[in-house]
Amino acid sequence: PSPWREAGLEVCSFQSSMLARTFTAVRLGARPSAASRSVVVSVRAMAAPAPGEKLDKRTPEDAWKTILSAEEYRVLRQKGTEPGGSGKLNKVYDEGTYVCAACKTPLYGSEHKFNSGCGWPAFWGELPDTIERHTDVTHGMKRVEITCKNCGGHLGHVFEGEGFPNPIDERHCVNSVSIKFIPKKV
């Protein structure tokens, strides 16, 4: 006999085809009768996505918490910022592609990266249809936040008109922890 049953509880799992997830429930009363209904005490989604499952804006926060490191989760999902100069991709200028650290969507080509001296990776343009812009009025200022269009992960902010020598005078100030670098295959 399980300790759950001895305590009058039953643990069961069930599949949700609508959410493509497995859930675990703990019910009061192992054998509910027609006269008494079982009460769900706890329902918890199993956080790991199914193999081959696409990660996007519909992915539950519990899944992101298991997929991402604590720092990635803080920056990508809670709109945090890593300390300037701390990111490992700030001074990487090799040929390749920068992808979203959460969902792996390609976001920037290395040809758009430049040294702005700001302490974070800087880009002057993104790959087509990959980034969304949002007005951000936190911290007592108006800025333009950039997020991954596919998963909604926070990347950083866009600054315009700073006089950088790039074709559009724009700087995407991106957290290193929000992106991963995929070197070009030779």
Side-chain angles (χ1 to χ4, degrees):
S2 99
W4 290 95
R5 288 191 187 251
E6 288 175 11
L9 301 173
E10 178 182 5
V11 178
C12 60
S13 292
F14 59 93
Q15 287 281 352
S16 167
S17 58
M18 183 178 82
L19 297 175
R21 294 275 188 271
T22 301
F23 291 87
T24 301
V26 178
R27 297 190 309 185
L28 288 173
R31 301 184 197 285
S33 67
S36 69
R37 296 183 180 198
S38 64
V39 177
V40 175
V41 175
S42 169
V43 176
R44 179 176 63 88
M46 304 311 280
E53 183 178 350
K54 184 172 171 46
L55 301 171
D56 58 24
K57 290 178 181 174
R58 297 171 296 179
T59 302
E61 285 305 307
D62 281 351
W64 289 122
K65 285 178 183 177
T66 61
I67 295 165
L68 302 172
S69 71
E71 180 67 355
E72 288 171 332
Y73 185 81
R74 185 185 73 77
V75 173
L76 283 157
R77 307 308 304 170
Q78 297 178 321
K79 302 180 186 296
T81 301
E82 66 190 4
S86 68
K88 60 185 175 184
L89 295 176
N90 185 33
K91 298 186 187 242
V92 172
Y93 295 100
D94 299 334
E95 284 189 62
T97 304
Y98 294 85
V99 301
C100 176
C103 70
K104 311 304 183 250
T105 296
L107 302 171
Y108 298 100
S110 56
E111 67 275 11
H112 293 122
K113 191 165 193 274
F114 69 100
N115 183 2
S116 70
C118 71
W120 290 272
F123 301 87
W124 59 263
E126 69 268 20
L127 296 174
D129 204 31
T130 60
I131 290 178
E132 292 181 330
R133 296 172 185 232
H134 312 274
T135 301
D136 176 2
V137 293
T138 59
H139 306 295
M141 64 181 103
K142 184 176 178 182
R143 303 180 293 176
V144 176
E145 177 196 14
I146 48 177
T147 59
C148 173
K149 187 173 184 176
N150 179 59
C151 73
H154 172 75
L155 303 172
H157 292 86
V158 172
F159 300 94
E160 299 173 339
E162 295 179 316
F164 285 108
N166 65 55
I168 58 175
D169 194 15
E170 185 173 276
R171 174 174 58 98
H172 292 216
C173 185
V174 178
N175 291 287
S176 278
V177 74
S178 296
I179 54 176
K180 304 258 187 227
F181 178 69
I182 309 297
K184 181 179 179 181
K185 292 181 182 175
V186 241

